[in-house]
Amino acid sequence: MEHIRTPKVEQVKLLDRFSNKSVIGTLHLTATHLIFVESNSTSAQEIWILHHHIASVEKLSLTTSGCPLLIQCRNFRLVHFVIPRERDCHDIYSSLLRLLRPVSYDELYAFSYNPKQNDQQREEGWQLIDLAAEFERMGVPCDQWQLTDVNREYKVCETYPRDLYVPITASKPIIVGSSKFRSKGRFPVLTYFYQEKKAAVCRCSQPLSGFSARCLEDEHMLQAISKSNHNSRYIYVMDTRPKLNALANRAAGKGYENEDNYSNIRFQFVGIENIHVMRGSLQKLLEVVGTRSLSMTDYLVGLENSGWLRHIKAIMDAAIFLAKAVTVEGASVLVHCSDGWDRTAQVCALGSLLMDPYYRTIKGFMVLIEKDWISFGHKFADRCDQLDPDPKEVSPIFTQFLECVWQLTEQFPQAFEFSEWFLIQIHEHVHSCQFGNFLGNSQRQREVLQLKERTYSLWAHLLSEKQNYLNPVYSPSFAESHPVLEPSTQACHFKFWRNMYHQYDRSMHPRQSILKQVLTFKESNRELEGTVQALKTKLQKFGVSTSPLKEDAPASTDGERTVEGSSATENGYGELTGSFGSKNEPAVVTLEFGVARMTC
Amino acid sequence: MEFAELIKTPRVDGVVLHRPFMPTVEGTLCLTGHHLILSSRQDTTEELWLLHANIDSTEKRFVGSLGTIIVKCKDLRVIQLDIPGMEECLNIASSIEALSTLDSVSLMYPFFYRPLFEVIEDGWQSFVPEESFKDLESMTDEWRLSEVNKDFSLCPSYPSLLTVPKDIDDESLCKAASFRHGGRFPVLSYYHKKNAMVMMRAAQPLTGTNGRRCKEDEKLINATLCAGKRGYIIDTRTIAVAQQAKARGGGFEQEANYPQWRRIHKAIERSNVLQDSLIKLVEACNDQSHSMDRWLSKLEASNWQSNVKEILTTACLAAQCIDREGASVLVHGTEGTDSTLQVTSLAQIILDPACRTIRGFEALIEREWLQAGHPFQQRCAQSAYSNGKPRSEAPVFLLFLDCVWQILRQFPCSFQFNENLLIMLFEHAYASQFGTFLGNCVAERGKLQLSQKTVSLWSWVNRPQELERFLNPLYEPNNLVIWPSVAPQSLLLWEGVFLRWNRSTKCLDEAYQEMVHIIEYNKELQNKVNSLRRQLAQLETEDSPLQTP
C-alpha cells in the first residue's frame, strides 16, 4: 500500500479506443487492481485491471481536458484515461510504475489472493492434475519405457521435472552422458506415448555438436529410443528451427544432429521462428489492429506484414508432421529446438492434442499444459514478464499455442469439450499471477517458492466455473470417429482471432453470440428435464402412470453439468450479450459520418 | 428442336468425374438440351445434374487419347471430366460450349422446366406493388401510387407502378424523369415508421457541365421533407467520379439548387471494377498452394473485402441519417440500378425487422432488386471464370448477399433465415430452373411472359418442405435497428461461397445439426412440460372440491 499516493480520482474520462465516445467515472487504485467505476448510475460499468496485467503505462502530453494516461495490458486491453488534474495523473502514473514492477515473488498477487478456501480445499486443488497418472493413462511405464530417478534432486537437469520417463535400455551413464551433450542438460525424454503403435514423442534441447563434436552416449540414447519401438526401423528427429538458425548455432558449439553419427534417424527442419521474431510479430499485429478507422487494405497488408498467421501456420504444420509420423508411420519422433522449452513445447503439445482426444477435454487440456508447458520448464516467468523483466525474454509462445488450438476448434467445432473462452481465460491467468500454476520458470523454482503451500491452483478455479467454458456442441462420439485430427493448413483456413486480440473492444464483436445462445438452450434443456421428472412424480401421486417417453432418459451428454447460472466473468463473455440491444452504434460508422459531414 | 443440332455426341460411357473432397464417380455422361448429366447407374452414388447455364467456362486437355474437360461453374465449383476418346471429348466440349452460351433468353431452361411439385402459392403474385402500397397507406397518407410509367415509356427500367409524394402530379414526374439518367426520377424506397423519415432512390441528375437544373425534380424531393427539416443525398460515387460524370451529361445535385439537402459522397466501385475484384478473389481462393503471405496479399489485391466494407459503411450511413439524425435520404449513383440498390436494400435490413424474415427478405429482393430494375441478366451472364472480355457482368447482387451475410454473422439471432438462403439466391441469380432472375427489368419480363411461361423461384422456396432448409433455428424476432460493425476485423471472408468447394464441410455441417438438435429438443421439452402441467392442473381442480369443506 505504501506505493499508492492517490487511491481515488474523480471525474476521470475513459475514452473508447475506436470511436469518439467516452464515459466519466472514478478511478480507484488498490494494492492489486486499478478500478474504474462509471458515474452514470444506469449502466455503471466497472473495469477492473489487475496490476500484473498492465504491460505499460504511458503519460501523454497535457491536453485542454486533462492529462491522458494510456494503459496497455497483456490481455490486449488498452485503456485511455483522461485525468483532469496533472498532479493526480502523475501520482497514478508513478504508483502504477512501481506496482507493475514487482521486485520479488512475494509481491505477486498469488501470494495475497485468498478465495476463501481452507487448506484442505487448496491442497485438493493442487492434486487435481497428477502427471504420474497421466503417463499411466498413456501406458507408461511399460516393457519399453520406465521412470528414472536420475533427476530426483534436479542434479542432471534443473529445468526438467523430477520424474522423467526414458527407454528401459537407457542406463544412467547414458542419460548423464547425453545430458552433458545437450544444451542446458535437457536430454531426450518421453513426453507422449502413442500406445496403439508403441510410438513415442520425445523432447530435448539441441546437441552441443558444433562443427564436428559427437557424443556416444547421446547416440546411444537415440538408439535406445529407436529400439523401444518395434514398429519402425527409424526415428524422426525434428529440429523445429529454420535451418539457418540451426547452422548459426553450430558456430557457438551447439547445432543439430549429424545424420552420419546417428544410425536410423531421419532428420528434419520445420522452420518455426525464434522468440524474438514472434515477439516482433505480435507487436506488429497489435499495432495494425489497434489503428483507428483502419481500412481493409491496411488491415490485410498489416496482417501479412506482421507474419503472425504465417507463424501460426508453421507451428500447425509442424504439429501435423509430428502427428502423421507417429500415427500413420508408427515412428517415434524426437523434437527439439534450441533449449527445448519454446517451439518444442508448442509442437509436442499441439501434436499430442491432434493425436489424443483426451487432450481436447477440459481436464485433459489442463493435463497437457501441466505436462508439456509447466513441468518441462517453459519459462512462463520470463516469457510472460512476471517479474524483473528482461524485455528480450518476453515472447507470446504460449499465446501462439492457444491460438493454434483455437484455429482447430474453428475447423472441428465438435471435437473440443471447451469453447474459446476457456482458452482466453487460461491466457488471462497466465499473466494475472493470481494463481500459482504459471509462476516461475521451472518446477524446481516452484518448489522453492512453495507454491502449493502458499498459493491456489488455477485448475480448481476453472473447474469450479466449468459451465462457462463448455462447448455446447461438443460430441464425445466425435472423438471416436476422429481420434486423430487432420486439419487443413491451407492459408485461407487460418483466421484472425478477434475474440482474443479484441477481447475488450466490444464494438468489434457480434452483438449476439451463437455460443451463448446455444449454451442457454442446453442449460434450459437440463432444467426442463428436471421439471418433467418432477411433474411426473406429482402425477403419479394422483395415480396417473406416465408413459415412458424417449426424453425421459436424462441426456447423457451433459450429465455432469450443474444448473447454477453462470456468473459473468471478467473476460467479456457476459458483456457480449449485455451489449445487445444496440444502444451504441458502431464506432466506425459514427466516425465516418462525422467525417462525411465535415466534407459537405 | 434446335438443341439436337448442338449436341454432337449425346452420350459417352466410361467417363470419370473428379470433384474436390468427393469420391470420383465413373459412369455415363449424357448431354441434354439443358443439362450435363453424369450417372454411375448405381443407386448409392449421387448423379451429377449440371445446368448448362451454370457453366462459366471450360478447358480441355489431352493425354494420349484420354481427354479431360475442366468445367468451371458460375456457382464457383470446378469439376473435371475424364473422357475416353479424343473425338468424343472434342464433341462433348464443343457441345457444352455451345449450349452454355445460348444467346436467346427464350431458349433458357426456365421456359422448359415443369415443376414436379404442385404450385400452391404462385410466386409471381406473391409480391405485387399494390400490396406493399397498402402497408404504406396504413402508416401515412403522404404518398400515392402513380401509373405514369404504365407503358414503361417514361422510364424503361422502372416498374409500371411507382410510389411518389402525393402532392406531385404525373406531369411533374415526367419532367423530373427527363432530368434523371435513364428516366429514373426519385421514388420511395423505404418509409421508416418510427420517425416518418423516408429513403428515396433515383439515378444521377443530368446537370451536365453547364449546371442544368429542374424545378420539378427539386420540388419532388423537397416534398419528402417535413417543414424545417433537412435531408441527406448520398451519392455512392466519390466527388471526383461525380465531377467526371458531368462531362457525359450526368452530374450531381448542386447545393445552391437543393439548399435543404446535404450531399455526402461515398466510394462504391463501379460494376466493371467489381467483376475484376470477383475474378481475382476466386483465383486466390482456388489456389491451394499459397503461402500465408501470398494468400493475404492476393486477398488484399482482390479488393473484395474492401468493397464489402464500403458498401456496408454506406448502407449504415444511410440508415444512420434516417434513424439517428431523423432525416430523409435520397440515394443515387450513376444509373441507380447497382450501388444505389445495394445501399437502399442493406439500409432496410438494418432498419426494418420485417426485412429479416424470409418473407420480408424475399419481398425486399423483389422490390429493391427485381422491380427496381437491377439488370440481372446482364450482370449475371458470366461469373468469376469468364475468359472473354466482360461486357456488363458484375457481382453487384453477390456483394449485396455477402453484406447481408456479414450482418447475419453479427446478429445471428435476428434473422429468420440462415446462410443457405443467401447461397441459394446467389446460385439462382446466375443459373436457375426458375424464371425469377431472367430479364433485366419489369418491362422485359413482361415481354418474355415469364409469369405465364416459367415458374417463380418464390413458388418453390415458399413451400414448407423447402423453407425448412432456410430457417435459422436461433431466430428470435428483434424489433430493434441492428448496427453492424464495419471494422475490417469484424468482416470475414464468406467461406460458404468462396471456399465452399475447396474445403470439407462435414465437421461444420454436423456441428450445425447438433445445434439444431439442441434447440429442437428444447421445444419438445417445453411442450412436454406444458402438457404435463395441464394434466396436473386438471387433476388438481377435480380433486379440490373434495378437499374444501
Side-chain angles (χ1 to χ4, degrees):
Chain A
M1 289 303 268
E2 70 268 28
H3 310 304
I4 300 171
R5 291 195 218 162
T6 310
K8 184 176 163 187
V9 185
E10 280 171 356
Q11 289 296 308
V12 172
K13 199 193 269 183
L14 171 68
L15 302 179
D16 186 276
R17 186 178 172 192
F18 292 106
S19 72
N20 296 324
K21 271 195 282 285
S22 62
V23 289
I24 302 284
T26 308
L27 203 58
H28 302 265
L29 195 58
T30 75
T32 54
H33 288 84
L34 178 70
I35 305 160
F36 175 82
V37 183
E38 202 185 319
S39 311
N40 182 346
S41 56
T42 49
S43 61
Q45 64 158 336
E46 280 181 23
I47 294 175
W48 288 59
I49 298 171
L50 201 58
H51 297 326
H52 295 311
H53 270 148
I54 299 177
S56 70
V57 190
E58 216 181 321
K59 225 176 84 182
L60 306 179
S61 48
L62 197 67
T63 68
T64 46
S65 54
C67 192
L69 192 67
L70 196 66
I71 298 174
Q72 204 147 10
C73 300
R74 295 183 224 284
N75 53 11
F76 311 119
R77 189 201 276 270
L78 195 136
V79 281
H80 192 160
F81 292 120
V82 179
I83 297 169
R85 294 198 315 164
E86 197 191 0
R87 219 199 115 77
D88 291 334
C89 183
H90 187 77
D91 282 353
I92 297 273
Y93 174 70
S94 42
S95 303
L96 281 178
L97 274 192
R98 175 61 190 83
L99 287 164
L100 66 88
R101 298 259 176 278
V103 286
S104 74
Y105 274 100
D106 291 349
E107 287 183 38
L108 295 182
Y109 186 32
F111 294 99
S112 58
Y113 172 68
N114 184 355
K116 303 202 172 52
Q117 286 180 0
N118 58 34
D119 284 355
Q120 195 198 337
Q121 284 168 311
R122 198 192 60 228
E123 273 165 38
E124 279 169 10
W126 282 110
Q127 282 155 8
L128 270 171
I129 308 294
D130 176 359
L131 288 185
E134 169 55 14
F135 278 95
E136 226 167 273
R137 186 191 69 86
M138 295 177 204
V140 176
C142 61
D143 58 346
Q144 296 295 335
W145 292 88
Q146 65 178 1
L147 179 66
T148 172
D149 59 2
V150 68
N151 204 37
R152 270 287 140 83
E153 309 297 327
Y154 297 114
K155 285 209 174 110
V156 179
C157 174
E158 61 171 7
T159 59
Y160 266 172
R162 288 176 192 271
D163 291 345
L164 293 166
Y165 295 83
V166 292
I168 42 164
T169 53
S171 62
K172 256 183 206 167
I174 288 181
I175 295 174
V176 174
S178 169
S179 83
K180 291 199 171 124
F181 188 62
R182 294 275 168 183
S183 201
K184 308 274 194 307
R186 294 170 69 93
F187 61 95
V189 294
L190 181 79
T191 179
Y192 181 69
F193 189 63
Y194 189 64
Q195 225 172 341
E196 201 182 310
K197 301 227 161 136
K198 306 273 181 238
V201 178
C202 298
R203 53 184 292 172
C204 61
S205 60
Q206 63 184 338
L208 304 174
S209 51
F211 290 101
S212 60
R214 55 189 289 187
C215 166
L216 286 178
E217 288 92 337
D218 193 61
E219 289 160 26
H220 274 297
M221 188 72 193
L222 266 67
Q223 190 73 27
I225 293 171
S226 180
K227 280 199 175 135
S228 68
N229 178 359
H230 304 302
N231 284 323
S232 175
R233 295 214 326 277
Y234 52 85
I235 66 166
Y236 281 101
V237 176
M238 276 175 82
D239 189 327
T240 55
R241 300 168 293 182
K243 188 172 182 183
L244 217 63
N245 300 22
L247 281 171
N249 263 302
R250 293 213 317 204
K254 299 163 186 173
Y256 55 93
E257 291 80 357
N258 184 339
E259 273 182 284
D260 299 338
N261 297 340
Y262 295 84
S263 48
N264 303 326
I265 70 163
R266 292 193 175 181
F267 188 84
Q268 178 83 34
F269 286 112
V270 290
I272 302 173
E273 298 288 351
N274 65 25
I275 57 166
H276 311 293
V277 174
M278 301 307 192
R279 179 178 56 243
S281 173
L282 179 63
Q283 210 165 359
K284 280 188 207 154
L285 178 80
L286 295 177
E287 243 163 65
V288 171
V289 300
T291 314
R292 283 176 68 152
S293 320
L294 182 63
S295 77
M296 187 58 83
T297 298
D298 291 345
Y299 168 65
L300 290 172
V301 168
L303 203 56
E304 180 194 340
N305 289 343
S306 76
W308 183 255
L309 287 176
R310 186 178 74 228
H311 300 313
I312 296 293
K313 177 168 152 57
I315 298 163
M316 193 80 98
D317 280 327
I320 292 169
F321 180 89
L322 170 67
K324 276 208 176 128
V326 172
T327 59
V328 179
E329 292 182 53
S332 293
V333 183
L334 175 65
V335 184
H336 72 73
C337 45
S338 296
D339 291 319
W341 52 43
D342 293 311
R343 293 170 265 207
T344 302
Q346 289 176 328
V347 174
C348 289
L350 197 62
S352 312
L353 181 113
L354 290 174
M355 289 186 265
D356 194 333
Y358 175 64
Y359 296 132
R360 300 172 219 147
T361 63
I362 287 183
K363 180 82 185 290
F365 193 65
M366 294 171 176
V367 169
L368 183 67
I369 291 175
E370 195 71 42
K371 173 169 71 75
D372 270 311
W373 292 89
I374 296 174
S375 89
F376 277 118
H378 174 67
K379 301 200 291 174
F380 278 105
D382 287 358
R383 298 290 178 259
C384 302
D385 199 8
Q386 287 169 355
L387 196 69
D388 189 21
D390 173 359
K392 284 224 163 85
E393 284 286 315
V394 178
S395 189
I397 302 302
F398 186 68
T399 309
Q400 288 183 318
F401 165 68
L402 294 177
E403 172 159 345
C404 287
V405 177
W406 176 78
Q407 301 281 358
L408 289 172
T409 64
E410 286 287 293
Q411 286 195 33
F412 303 101
Q414 293 194 277
F416 293 83
E417 189 189 8
F418 48 85
S419 69
E420 65 180 318
W421 297 110
F422 185 56
L423 301 172
I424 291 171
Q425 196 64 11
I426 291 173
H427 182 262
E428 192 86 359
H429 284 296
V430 166
H431 293 96
S432 74
C433 303
Q434 185 176 348
F435 298 92
N437 308 60
F438 297 106
L439 300 190
N441 284 322
S442 65
Q443 283 301 59
R444 183 184 179 172
Q445 201 182 355
R446 284 181 201 106
E447 281 170 23
V448 172
L449 289 169
Q450 295 178 293
L451 293 178
K452 291 196 178 179
E453 290 78 44
R454 300 172 61 200
T455 71
Y456 294 86
S457 167
L458 170 66
W459 308 131
H461 169 74
L462 290 180
L463 279 179
S464 74
E465 40 181 56
K466 187 178 172 186
Q467 72 275 10
N468 291 353
Y469 309 121
L470 288 173
N471 167 16
V473 296
Y474 169 62
S475 152
S477 65
F478 184 90
E480 283 160 35
S481 53
H482 299 76
V484 181
L485 294 184
E486 294 171 56
S488 154
T489 58
Q490 269 185 56
C492 56
H493 291 136
F494 288 83
K495 298 177 208 160
F496 171 70
W497 192 4
R498 190 180 50 211
N499 283 350
M500 175 63 105
Y501 304 106
H502 285 298
Q503 199 190 145
Y504 295 97
D505 303 315
R506 281 165 60 168
S507 66
M508 293 240 170
H509 296 287
R511 302 310 168 88
Q512 297 169 324
S513 150
I514 296 179
L515 174 72
K516 176 89 186 165
Q517 201 69 21
V518 179
L519 271 176
T520 313
F521 273 113
K522 271 207 116 165
E523 202 81 32
S524 153
N525 285 356
R526 203 172 148 68
E527 280 171 27
L528 285 170
E529 275 167 358
T531 316
V532 167
Q533 277 313 322
L535 285 169
K536 284 191 174 167
T537 320
K538 274 192 191 168
L539 276 171
Q540 268 158 8
K541 283 183 191 152
F542 284 97
V544 181
S545 68
T546 47
S547 55
L549 280 158
K550 71 171 161 60
E551 67 264 36
D552 285 4
S556 53
T557 48
D558 51 5
E560 71 257 41
R561 292 268 305 279
T562 53
V563 198
E564 294 141 36
S566 57
S567 62
T569 49
E570 283 174 30
N571 57 20
Y573 182 89
E575 289 179 356
L576 279 186
T577 46
S579 70
F580 171 63
S582 59
K583 225 173 19 209
N584 331 313
E585 63 248 17
V588 186
V589 176
T590 318
L591 190 77
E592 300 226 7
F593 187 52
V595 171
R597 277 209 285 183
M598 285 191 313
T599 60
C600 285
Chain B
M1 179 67 238
E2 307 92 320
F3 295 125
E5 294 159 24
L6 298 174
I7 303 169
K8 294 181 184 158
T9 303
R11 56 174 283 183
V12 187
D13 291 320
V15 174
V16 180
L17 165 70
H18 302 271
R19 287 174 292 186
F21 297 99
M22 286 167 111
T24 54
V25 182
E26 188 179 340
T28 305
L29 178 77
C30 295
L31 287 187
T32 72
H34 294 105
H35 284 97
L36 181 157
I37 305 158
L38 189 117
S39 166
S40 65
R41 298 178 189 248
Q42 279 158 3
D43 294 338
T44 45
T45 36
E46 164 203 12
E47 291 180 342
L48 172 79
W49 281 71
L50 190 67
L51 261 183
H52 293 315
N54 191 1
I55 296 173
D56 210 19
S57 72
T58 55
E59 282 166 28
K60 36 186 192 292
R61 288 184 211 139
F62 290 96
V63 182
S65 68
L66 180 78
T68 293
I69 303 179
I70 313 249
V71 179
K72 299 181 174 181
C73 303
K74 289 178 189 161
D75 61 14
L76 307 184
R77 154 173 46 163
V78 178
I79 61 172
Q80 182 186 327
L81 296 164
D82 293 344
I83 299 168
M86 187 176 294
E87 201 193 327
E88 280 83 355
C89 183
L90 283 170
N91 282 347
I92 295 284
S94 68
S95 306
I96 294 176
E97 172 88 38
L99 289 164
S100 60
T101 51
L102 291 177
D103 266 339
S104 166
V105 183
S106 56
L107 291 179
M108 299 295 252
Y109 186 50
F111 289 97
F112 300 84
Y113 170 74
R114 290 294 158 261
L116 291 172
F117 58 89
E118 189 195 346
V119 176
I120 302 162
E121 182 199 332
D122 183 5
W124 292 114
Q125 304 306 323
S126 295
F127 308 98
V128 290
E130 290 90 338
E131 286 297 317
S132 51
F133 186 74
K134 264 188 209 155
D135 291 343
L136 181 68
E137 260 186 324
S138 70
M139 298 183 277
T140 169
D141 58 359
E142 298 288 307
W143 299 82
R144 68 184 183 93
L145 212 49
S146 167
E147 292 186 355
V148 68
N149 197 37
K150 196 164 59 186
D151 53 3
F152 307 108
S153 58
L154 194 58
C155 172
S157 63
Y158 267 167
S160 53
L161 291 174
L162 291 157
T163 309
V164 296
K166 192 182 60 185
D167 299 335
I168 305 297
D169 57 26
D170 283 358
E171 202 180 321
S172 303
L173 294 178
C174 291
K175 286 195 177 133
S178 68
F179 182 64
R180 293 276 172 177
H181 190 116
R184 294 176 68 94
F185 58 88
V187 295
L188 181 77
S189 164
Y190 170 67
Y191 179 83
H192 196 46
K193 195 176 169 184
K194 192 168 124 193
N195 59 9
M197 292 301 130
V198 298
M199 178 160 59
M200 286 176 301
R201 52 178 158 76
Q204 65 176 345
L206 303 173
T207 55
T209 39
N210 49 13
R212 251 182 83 204
R213 64 186 288 189
C214 169
K215 292 274 184 207
E216 287 78 7
D217 187 75
E218 291 158 26
K219 205 177 129 205
L220 167 55
I221 72 166
N222 284 339
T224 66
L225 293 176
C226 307
K229 279 276 192 180
R230 301 220 292 194
Y232 289 91
I233 294 174
I234 297 178
D235 191 327
T236 62
R237 308 162 293 180
T238 59
I239 179 78
V241 174
Q243 288 282 10
Q244 284 162 16
K246 282 185 178 175
R248 292 187 298 273
F252 51 86
E253 295 81 356
Q254 295 295 333
E255 285 91 346
N257 303 339
Y258 298 84
Q260 287 158 290
W261 296 82
R262 284 283 164 269
R263 206 179 62 245
I264 303 172
H265 287 275
K266 299 300 291 179
I268 301 183
E269 291 286 4
R270 284 195 53 98
S271 49
N272 53 338
V273 181
L274 299 181
Q275 180 70 5
D276 190 46
S277 171
L278 174 68
I279 292 171
K280 283 187 182 154
L281 173 72
V282 171
E283 204 181 278
C285 292
N286 281 354
D287 190 339
Q288 306 182 5
S289 62
H290 284 331
S291 70
M292 186 59 75
D293 288 2
R294 200 166 157 73
W295 156 248
L296 289 172
S297 111
K298 286 239 170 187
L299 179 63
E300 189 279 312
S302 81
N303 250 333
W304 184 266
Q305 294 296 92
S306 297
N307 288 321
V308 169
K309 178 168 155 60
E310 191 60 32
I311 294 165
L312 261 181
T313 306
T314 310
C316 286
L317 175 69
Q320 201 173 10
C321 290
I322 294 169
D323 190 68
R324 303 258 162 226
E325 300 285 311
S328 285
V329 173
L330 169 67
V331 184
H332 71 73
T334 305
E335 287 102 346
T337 54
D338 296 291
S339 57
T340 305
L341 305 182
Q342 289 173 329
V343 174
T344 56
S345 53
L346 285 167
Q348 291 180 53
I349 284 171
I350 293 166
L351 293 170
D352 185 3
C355 294
R356 300 171 218 145
T357 64
I358 290 190
R359 195 83 188 178
F361 188 64
E362 290 170 359
L364 181 76
I365 286 170
E366 188 70 36
R367 210 168 59 230
E368 291 297 304
W369 289 89
L370 291 161
Q371 290 171 16
H374 175 66
F376 275 100
Q377 198 170 316
Q378 288 176 9
R379 297 285 181 257
C380 302
Q382 298 262 259
S383 157
Y385 301 120
S386 57
N387 304 320
K389 234 192 179 153
R391 286 160 299 182
S392 34
E393 291 82 3
V396 176
F397 186 62
L398 176 58
L399 268 165
F400 157 73
L401 294 174
D402 194 331
C403 292
V404 178
W405 179 79
Q406 304 287 351
I407 307 176
L408 173 63
R409 281 289 302 216
Q410 297 190 24
F411 294 89
C413 307
S414 297
F415 288 80
Q416 192 190 14
F417 53 87
N418 59 22
E419 180 183 5
N420 294 339
L421 184 78
L422 302 174
I423 296 174
M424 183 276 292
L425 286 169
F426 158 60
E427 290 172 342
H428 283 273
Y430 279 85
S432 175
Q433 65 268 47
F434 304 106
T436 300
F437 291 109
L438 292 182
N440 290 308
C441 56
V442 175
E444 271 187 44
R445 283 184 206 105
K447 274 193 211 123
L448 289 166
Q449 296 179 289
L450 292 180
S451 59
Q452 293 98 47
K453 293 185 171 170
T454 73
V455 181
S456 162
L457 174 67
W458 312 131
S459 304
W460 173 70
V461 174
N462 287 333
R463 302 169 69 235
Q465 304 91 306
E466 298 301 331
L467 272 182
E468 203 160 315
R469 188 155 65 89
F470 304 121
L471 285 174
N472 174 10
L474 293 165
Y475 177 56
E476 275 169 24
N478 161 18
N479 280 321
L480 298 165
V481 175
I482 54 177
W483 298 108
S485 160
V486 295
Q489 296 97 312
S490 309
L491 303 176
L492 306 170
L493 176 70
W494 191 6
E495 294 177 44
V497 164
F498 299 110
L499 301 179
R500 182 178 178 190
W501 309 104
N502 19 4
R503 60 172 185 172
S504 160
T505 55
K506 193 165 166 281
C507 292
L508 302 178
D509 293 343
E510 283 170 2
Y512 183 81
Q513 282 313 319
E514 176 62 21
M515 179 186 87
V516 172
H517 168 78
I518 290 168
I519 297 167
E520 276 172 0
Y521 181 48
N522 189 266
K523 284 187 196 130
E524 211 176 290
L525 280 171
Q526 222 125 37
N527 289 338
K528 181 81 193 150
V529 165
N530 289 344
S531 89
L532 286 172
R533 281 216 172 107
R534 262 196 310 271
Q535 213 178 336
L536 194 65
Q538 214 166 19
L539 287 169
E540 274 167 352
T541 44
E542 280 168 18
D543 264 13
S544 53
L546 301 174
Q547 282 160 10
T548 42

